[in-house]
């Protein structure tokens, strides 16, 4: 079925077999094991799935670490939204990142990564835990950072937490034959499709906007069928599975993703503009506020998103006062849900990042939810009022 409108696709994708099953809502398949029609067909089914393939005709799903229909429906839906052949779901965004690294660096152990990245991804790469070596660079240095043993280039756009956009096609050109993985968590498939700009992998922490309600941890990567085989093989071997209950919640979340994203983005744009008028704030980080000099909001990203970061003029003490001054925003890590959250990246999400690449201690990251603009502004006023005490204290010292 072809849909003219992406909203229709978000509602219907991955549900193609439901009519044949005689059901309307997504079924949850919790079976850990599956009957085998015979030893030989059972063995052939095992062989196909354990090496990253799909179920064979007349075969069995064998074991839920190899294949699960509820997870497969979510994967099909996300692949369609990303304009990809396939997607592979994992237990978390970090499990997805781990699988992408393992699948691409078997022989080529070097990775090029453009900062900023989510602190956990930065940590995984910097730790060398998976036997890889990383060169961190900025987006104009990718070509010179590539080596004969480079297996993967990792970028994030918009970047967490300072929301810079990275030119995906530009990085892909510099990377040559090396596959580029784009963390698309902040933009979601509603605003950006990295594969359309030449990326090999589009990764999501599904925990964020895809689920949208802060009640499921998951990760997913959209890519070609050939690359998906490599990821499914790693998943089968390492066991980093998305549980079917999580897949059900994520798939249900996709149906409302476009309208949530549009509503959250509309409020975030107004909030960012309001924050930019406040003298307690030195800088508002929000895509487009810099005038979009490279035109990436026309050519790459179809909107400005719902994440906003602010740099408080009075530094870390003001950031502390601000985060404790708000009442409606929850002071908590994570993002992308219907409730607004805020957190201090240098202390939390980006804590493991090397000192010279850590976010400024005056920076606070806001995830704008579905609350009304007026209530959000009233709460931000409360936070900013709390920073005044810091300024007064400094003036009187
Ligand atoms: C941009 C981004 N990528 C990846 C991750 C990791 O995802 P998860 O927490 O689902 O493992 C996060 C988590 O905050 C994130 O913000």
């Amino acid at each position: 079925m072809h849909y003219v409108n992406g909203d229709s696709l978000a509602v219907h994708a991955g549900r193609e077999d439901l009519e044949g099953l005689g059901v309307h809502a997504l079924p949850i398949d919790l079976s850990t094991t599956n009957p085998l029609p015979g030893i030989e067909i059972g063995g052939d089914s095992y062989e196909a799935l354990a090496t990253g393939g799909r179920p064979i005709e007349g075969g069995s799903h064998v074991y839920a670490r190899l294949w699960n229909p509820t997870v497969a429906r979510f994967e099909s839906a996300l692949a369609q939204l990303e304009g990809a052949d396939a997607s592979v779901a994992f237990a978390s965004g970090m499990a997805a990142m781990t699988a992408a690294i393992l699948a691409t660096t078997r022989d080529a152990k070097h990775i090029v990564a453009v900062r900023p990245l989510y602190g956990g991804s930065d940590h995984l790469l910097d730790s060398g835990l998976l036997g890889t070596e990383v060169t961190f660079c900025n987006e104009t240095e990718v070509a010179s950072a590539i080596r004969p043993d480079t297996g993967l280039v990792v970028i994030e756009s918009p970047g967490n937490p300072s929301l810079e956009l990275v030119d995906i096609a530009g990085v892909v050109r510099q990377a040559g034959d090396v596959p580029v993985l784009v963390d698309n968590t902040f933009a979601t498939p509603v605003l950006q499709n990295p594969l359309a700009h030449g990326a090999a992998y589009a990764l999501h922490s599904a925990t964020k906007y895809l689920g949208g309600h802060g009640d499921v941890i998951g990760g997913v990567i959209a890519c070609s069928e050939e690359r998906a085989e490599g990821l499914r093989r790693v998943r089968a071997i390492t066991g980093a599975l998305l549980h079917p209950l999580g897949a059900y919640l994520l798939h249900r979340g996709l149906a409302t993703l476009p309208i949530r994203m549009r509503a959250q983005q509309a409020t975030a744009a107004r909030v960012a503009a309001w924050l930019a008028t406040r003298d307690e704030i030195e800088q508002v980080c929000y895509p487009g506020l810099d005038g979009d000099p490279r035109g990436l909001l026309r050519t790459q990203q179809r909107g400005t998103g719902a994440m906003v970061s602010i740099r408080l003029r009075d530094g870390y003490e003001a950031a502390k006062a601000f985060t404790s001054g708000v009442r409606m925003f929850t002071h908590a890590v994570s993002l992308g849900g219907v409730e607004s959250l805020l957190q201090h990246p240098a202390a939390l999400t980006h804590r493991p990042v090397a000192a010279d690449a850590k976010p400024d201690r005056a920076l606070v990251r806001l995830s704008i939810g579905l609350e009304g603009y007026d209530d959000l502004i009233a709460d931000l006023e409360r936070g900013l009022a709390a920073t005044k005490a810091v300024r007064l204290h400094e003036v009187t010292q």
Side-chain angles (χ1 to χ4, degrees), residues 144-278:
S144 54
I146 299 273
R147 308 191 316 210
D149 65 340
T150 305
L152 183 66
V153 174
V154 177
I155 62 175
E156 196 171 292
S157 186
N160 184 357
S162 43
L163 300 160
E164 290 102 337
L165 304 187
V166 176
D167 177 358
I168 298 170
V171 168
V172 166
R173 270 195 300 278
Q174 293 183 66
D177 293 340
V178 180
V180 175
L181 178 149
V182 180
D183 187 325
N184 202 27
T185 300
F186 277 25
T188 83
V190 177
L191 301 184
Q192 179 169 272
N193 301 115
L195 272 55
H197 303 281
Y201 299 98
L203 177 145
H204 295 270
S205 166
T207 317
K208 312 298 178 343
Y209 289 102
L210 303 190
H213 294 74
D215 54 7
V216 53
I217 291 218
V220 63
I221 303 180
C223 54
S224 68
E225 179 59 24
E226 191 187 344
R227 294 191 193 281
E229 280 178 18
L231 293 172
R232 285 195 294 259
R233 181 172 171 274
V234 171
R235 183 178 66 180
I237 294 171
T238 61
L241 304 176
L242 176 63
H243 191 275
L245 288 173
Y248 166 79
L249 288 170
L250 292 174
H251 198 167
R252 193 170 74 157
L254 290 183
T256 55
L257 176 65
I259 57 165
R260 278 188 283 112
M261 203 57 208
R262 282 199 297 274
Q264 291 176 230
Q265 167 176 263
T267 312
R270 290 178 72 194
V271 166
W274 179 84
L275 290 166
T277 66
R278 302 296 302 225

